[in-house]
Amino acid sequence: MVTPLIEAKGLTRVYEMRRGLFGKAIPVRAVDDLSIKVLPGETLGVVGESGSGKSTLGRMLLGIDPAQAGAVTFEGHPMPAFGTAEWRALRARMQLVYQDPLAALDRRLTIATQIREPLDIHNLLTKSQRDGRVQALMAAVGLRPDQADRYPHELSGGQRQRAVIARALASHPSLIVCDEPVSALDVSIQAQVVNMLRDLQDEFQIGMVFISHDLKVVRNVADRVAVMYLGRIVEEALSDVIFASPRHPYTQALVSSVPVPGQPLKGRMILQGEPPNPADRPSGCAFHPRCPLATDICRTSVPALRTIGVGRSAACHLVEGATAPIAA
Amino acid sequence: MSFDLVEIRDLKVAFDGTQVLHGINLSVDRGEALGLVGESGCGKSVTWLAALGLLPGKAAISGSVRIEGNELCSAPRQALERVRGGRIAMIFQDPSSSLNPVIRIGRQITEALTLHRGIGGETARAEALRLLDMVGIPDARRRFDLFPHEFSGGQCQRLMIAMALAGQPDLLIADEPTTALDATIQAQILDLLNQLRAETGMATVFISHDLGAVSQVCERVCVMYAGRIVEQGSITQLFSRPRHPYTRGLFDAIPRLDGPRTRLVPIPGTVPNPKQLTAGCAFSPRCAHSVASCDFQRPELDVMEDGRRLACFNPVLADEPTPALQTVMEDA
């Protein structure tokens, strides 16, 4: 069996939130006993609404946010602690791409300098080879050579995101965590960047965790998709399968809520209510207050993530064909 | 003679000498839902900000904006203030920055009622509660005296809509009202906008870059590119047979949720810099359909046989199938 590129078991992250200056600290379970794995060269899509913990999960996979419980292994080895020399060395192999490229770039440095930075920091290649590598990276992400000396504000949003991606690729990572990489871009530019990410991934066989709230983009990029609700995975399956036949009521509502051009709003499943506050988690299944199918058992007992078919799992009491819980 | 509710003629806007809006002609009928679609910087928001006199002083505006025949464009401030909020209300993308964070929401809504309808006291409170019920704020009575930060993003947008409805406007302009919201909440707000239009009969202008969202709220759509309308028609016309290569390109660029996973079809290049527009069609550098004349001559927005308006010398053929749309039409 292939060793997973990255594997997380029982990950839990609890933030403390204070109401007011002297208020009591309330624990917020941003990520709750969550297990996932990504194989080499595979793309795992993570979807969910704001507050579902998908960005926290991305940061925990890279070891930026420490886990209170559970563990992450990278290529079979435990993730070193945040800030240690081993962790820093490992960061060359795993990179992060954020949503807002202008915030991720230093406004006072040229694009070429910034793409070169990971090579300087991790002391990769000889100094003379680095310039060549920067040129090759810029070409790979579709930036023109004359843009090397430009500053971030001189580029368009799409070009900035290309520069951020080039920088992330500089150290030959085997894993990239992309947190909403195309959400801030216009549709026509979004398609350019999505195509580019897919090409780069094919070319360099990079494993990718693609975090997004945009189901249409995720379907197009990811091989496998995990749907998160309030810090837990509620359904996981192959990308084509999960969008064609969602089984969890939440996934069904999400898929149904995607506006398709030319299709009327009527007949779509519109969820009532808002995603609940993670600090005030409902009892039983966290989705039950908004679920049209909820029964008594949903209000009292938390459904475990169970296998419901080949390579498919869902956490719902009502999904049929569920077998034994997946061991964490 | 009857007028359209709002009629915009040859509206032009320039910032510091750079022209960003190049003569927009647009009319909104009573009770109609009109969509304005385009990428960032195409002028879809500026059109309405200019119409309502909401642009900063440095913007040079020319042209005519009439509401039921009354000119707004050079109107004095008092005349504008009677229209803004009263006849035409506007809601924006980010509701939390449009609400005053230090004033209780009940007071913010009654303030609008006092301003536009001259009611106060208990009457205003009762009316505000009715509006809050109407936009679907649960438990409005108890939450009347809460602050904006105590509401979620989706609920803040509902509050903004309630405030916009306070003046009983004839036209609601919704500028990207669902862009900052989660998918399931977005569906709720679109549903609410449809429902309110059916109940109150007010016209809606829905500004968005999301063609999917537009098709669920609007009857008629204008597609804008670089400060001009390039195609205009009914939802069915535009969505089943887009004729302008840009409209077609926008459809093809949207990833699909069903059918086989194929490579996306982006529009190459980027939106032109408004300072460096050529004499020709602004879209021609990115256009696969462009012919020689596109580079130096600009196509006018002309009426086609089927009633749509189109500004293109070499449009996409009417029977050229749109691969990205076939299955949708079968489903519908």
Side-chain angles (χ1 to χ4, degrees), chain A residues 276-291:
Chain A
N277 183 347
D280 188 15
R281 203 187 162 83
S283 64
C285 171
F287 184 58
H288 87 256
R290 301 175 78 193
C291 183

Side-chain angles (χ1 to χ4, degrees), chain A residues 49-50 186 188 219 268 274, chain B residues 39-40 152 182 184 216 259:
Chain A
E49 294 178 275
S50 39
D186 275 318
S188 68
R219 176 187 184 261
R268 291 186 18 214
E274 313 257 336
Chain B
E39 294 178 279
S40 29
S152 67
D182 280 317
T184 59
Q216 293 179 348

Side-chain angles (χ1 to χ4, degrees), chain A residues 25-44:
Chain A
I26 310 164
V28 178
R29 298 181 89 81
V31 171
D32 193 9
D33 192 19
L34 188 148
S35 303
I36 59 161
K37 58 181 162 195
V38 181
L39 301 177
E42 184 192 37
T43 303
L44 173 72

Side-chain angles (χ1 to χ4, degrees), chain B residues 99-216:
Chain B
L99 292 164
N100 189 330
V102 295
I103 297 180
R104 299 174 195 277
I105 58 108
R107 211 185 116 200
Q108 297 195 46
I109 295 172
T110 43
E111 188 186 16
L113 286 167
T114 313
L115 206 62
H116 297 297
R117 282 160 63 188
I119 50 176
E122 276 307 304
T123 334
R125 187 185 160 91
E127 175 65 9
L129 283 171
R130 191 186 69 86
L131 289 172
L132 288 176
D133 279 341
M134 200 168 161
V135 298
I137 296 281
D139 206 3
R141 206 160 290 277
R142 198 174 56 77
R143 305 175 77 185
F144 195 74
D145 287 322
L146 296 184
F147 290 100
H149 75 266
E150 293 171 276
F151 292 85
S152 67
Q155 285 177 332
C156 279
Q157 196 56 281
R158 288 173 192 271
L159 293 174
M160 282 306 302
I161 295 173
M163 210 181 290
L165 293 178
Q168 292 179 316
D170 298 314
L171 172 61
L172 176 71
I173 298 166
D175 188 357
E176 305 260 10
T178 59
T179 309
L181 304 177
D182 280 317
T184 59
I185 308 300
Q186 179 178 356
Q188 291 176 1
I189 298 287
L190 293 180
D191 189 42
L192 174 68
L193 286 173
N194 273 339
Q195 182 199 327
L196 289 175
R197 194 166 71 90
E199 280 173 20
T200 63
M202 69 179 173
T204 309
V205 170
F206 189 85
I207 303 174
S208 180
H209 68 279
D210 186 341
L211 284 160
V214 165
S215 73
Q216 293 179 348

